[in-house]
Amino acid sequence: MILLTLAMLACGQVLFKQASAHLSFSRPASFFSGTLILALFVYGAATLLWLAVLARVPLSAAFPFYGLTFLLVPAFAWWLLNEPIKPQVWFGAVVILIGVVISSWDTGR
């Protein structure tokens, strides 16, 4: 459930990026685009799913996984939007991934 939430948040970010290309603060009607509405729906659904996660898992155990969005969002931006990603972003994402693994390591105690 945590990973689904994070994937939805990353998809929401990609949708927000796509919607931003068509937004204009001088044209309020542009805020009713299908892409923006879909992004808000996906992000809202992810928030509800996150609440379901938190009802079952301690925050201190669940929240480190939130860091995986720093890996997923650039990966999705590269894959879906063809955005170039600098090597230091990938390196930082790997460092965060290592941190998530370390923080979620169950020693059986």
Side-chain angles (χ1 to χ4, degrees), residues 10-60:
C11 287
Q13 287 297 324
V14 169
L15 289 166
F16 281 134
K17 175 62 178 172
Q18 288 179 319
S20 71
H22 306 288
L23 294 180
S24 172
F25 286 92
S26 62
R27 288 187 0 234
S30 70
F31 286 89
F32 295 101
S33 74
T35 306
L36 181 57
I37 291 168
L38 180 60
L40 291 168
F41 175 80
V42 168
Y43 228 70
T47 300
L48 293 175
L49 192 55
W50 185 246
L51 289 171
V53 167
L54 294 179
R56 293 166 177 79
V57 179
L59 180 60
S60 61

